Amino acid sequence: MEDYLSLFETYDVLAAFWVNIQLSFWAAIWALAIGTVLALFRISPIPSLQWFGAAYVNIFRNTPLTIILAFGFLGLFSVMQISLAADLNASLFRIAIVGLAVYHAAFVCEAIRSGVNTVPLGQAEAARAIGLSFLPAARLIILPQAFRGAIAPLGNVLIALIKNSTVAAAGSVATEASGLMKTMIEFRSDLVIPIFFTFALGFVVLVIPIGLLTTWASRKLAVAR
Amino acid sequence: MSAQQVLFDAPGPRARRNILIGNIVGVLVGLGILAWIISTLAEKGQLEASMWTPFLESRTWEFFILPGLVNTLKAAAIAIVTSVLFGLIFGVGRLSHLAPVRWVAGIVVEFLRAVPVLLMMIFFWLALGSSGAVQPQDAPLIAVVIALTLYNGSVIAELVRSGVQGLPRGQREAGMAIGLTANQSLRSIEVPQALIAMLPALISQFVVILKDSALGFIITYPELLQYMRRLGVGEGNIIPSLMVAAAIFIIINFALSTLATRLSVLLSFRTKGRKPAVVGAIAMDAAST
C-alpha cells in the first residue's frame, strides 16, 4: 500500500490526465466546428458541397486514428517540418489536437445529421412556406432542433474523443496518460495491476458522468412533439 | 426524414442559377485546396517518382505490405470471433433473470466500455511480457486481441441486449406458452432474432475492430502501419507509405460499411415491426471510437 502511494509522489498522474483533458477540450471545439460545417454541406442543395462532405466523412471515418496521429508526427512534423508553435512539445500537442479534431469531425457530422433526421418534415416545410431559403431555414429552424436531437450521439462522440486522446501517444505526446502508464509499469512492474486500475478508474470517472449528463440533457432538451 | 430533399424547395430558375453558381464556386474552392495540398507536397519533394516507385516493386508488396496486412487481418479476425463470443455471453448475462448475474455483467460491460482500448492494450502487453506466461514475441498479438475483445465485446453485449429488448414481447410470451423456461426462450427464440436484427450494427463494429487493430502499432505489434513505417524509414518515403496504409484501411472499411448498409436495407423487412431506432442509436455509438 505504501509502495502504491509512493507512486503518486514520483509520478504526476493528475498532470497526465490534465493533458488528456486539454487535448479533448480543444479537439472537441474544433471537431464541433468542422463537423457542423460538414453537416451543413451534406444537407445543402449544392452537389459539389454534398460530395465534399460525403467524401470527407467516408475517408476519415474509415482511417484508423492511429494512422492519422502517426501521420501528424512522422509526416507533417518530421518530414514536412510543419510546426504550430515555437516550442517542440507545444507543436506536437497542437498537431495531435488537429489530428483528433479532423478524425472526430467526421463523427460529429454524422451525429448532427442523425439529429437533423429527428426534425419532422413539417418543420422544413413550414420554414419554406414562410419564405425562408436554405441558410435561414437551417440556422433558425432546422439546426436548433437538430442539435437538441443530436445531444446523445454528440455525447457519445465526446466520450470516444476523451478515450481516444490516449492515442496521442502515437503522435509523440509523451506526457499524456497512456504514455505515463507505460512508463510507470516499466519501472514498477510489481505494481502493474494497481497502476492499470488507477488509470482505468480515472477514465471511468471522466467518462461516466459525461454519459449520464448527456443522457439527462438529451431528455431535458428534447423537443416536445 | 431525408433532409436532402425537404430543406430546400424544388428549385425555380433563380434558385437553379444560385445552385449552379454555388456549385462552381464549391468546385473551384475544392480544386484550390487540392492544388494547395499537392503543391505543398511537391515543394517538399513528396511527389517525386522515387517516392512512389517502391509501391510498383514486388518486393515492397512481398516484404512489407502483404505481411503487414496479414498480421492486421489476423489480429482483427481473431478479435472479431472472440468479441462476438464475449458479447453473446455478457449480453445474455445482462438479460439474465438472476439479479446478481445481471449486476456483474452490467458492471463489467460498463467498466470496459469506459476504459480506453489503448490503456488495456499497454497493460496486457507489459503484464503478459513480464509475467512470462506467454512467449515474449507473442505478447503484442495477444494483448491486441484481448484488449479489442474486452472493449468491442462489451459494445456487442449492449447490441445483444438492445436487440433482444427491441423484440416484440409476444416472442417471449409465446416461448413461455409452449413450455420453455425464460432462459430457453432467451437462447432459442429471442437472441437468434436479435442477432439478425443487429447484423448491420455488428458489421459496423467489425470496422471498429479493424481500425483499432492499428493501435497495435504503439505496442510494437507488427501490423500494417508498423510495416509501412519501416518501409517509409527505409526508403525515405514515410508520407507516401502512410498514405498507402490509410488507403488500404479505407478500402476494406468502406467495403464493410457498404455491406452493413446493404444488409440493413435487406433486413429491414424482417425488423419492420420493431423499433430499429434502438439498434441504430447503439450503432452510432459503436462507430465513433
Side-chain angles (χ1 to χ4, degrees), chain B residues 95-180:
Chain B
L95 294 161
S96 166
H97 62 283
L98 292 173
V101 176
R102 257 196 334 261
W103 294 333
V104 171
I107 291 170
V108 169
V109 165
E110 290 300 334
F111 175 76
L112 292 175
R113 286 207 310 159
V115 179
V117 185
L118 182 60
L119 279 193
M120 295 196 249
M121 238 178 236
I122 293 176
F123 165 67
F124 284 110
W125 171 49
L126 295 174
L128 288 172
S130 66
S131 71
V134 297
Q135 297 291 322
Q137 71 270 21
D138 293 339
L141 171 64
I142 296 176
V144 168
V145 169
I146 296 179
L148 289 179
T149 302
L150 292 180
Y151 172 70
N152 294 289
S154 308
V155 177
I156 293 173
E158 287 294 274
L159 286 176
V160 171
R161 186 173 72 120
S162 66
V164 167
Q165 283 176 346
L167 290 174
R169 269 181 49 201
Q171 295 292 331
R172 161 171 288 216
E173 287 164 359
M176 308 287 254
I178 58 170
L180 300 178

Side-chain angles (χ1 to χ4, degrees), chain A residues 48 62 103 107 117 119 163, chain B residues 1 23 44 113 211 253 287:
Chain A
S48 64
N62 288 322
Y103 176 78
F107 295 100
N117 283 334
V119 181
K163 293 191 293 172
Chain B
M1 79 184 198
N23 210 3
K44 305 273 181 182
R113 286 207 310 159
K211 278 197 303 179
N253 288 333

Side-chain angles (χ1 to χ4, degrees), chain B residues 194-207:
Chain B
L195 277 179
I196 289 179
M198 67 187 247
L199 210 51
L202 199 60
I203 293 176
S204 308
Q205 199 58 33
F206 296 166
V207 172

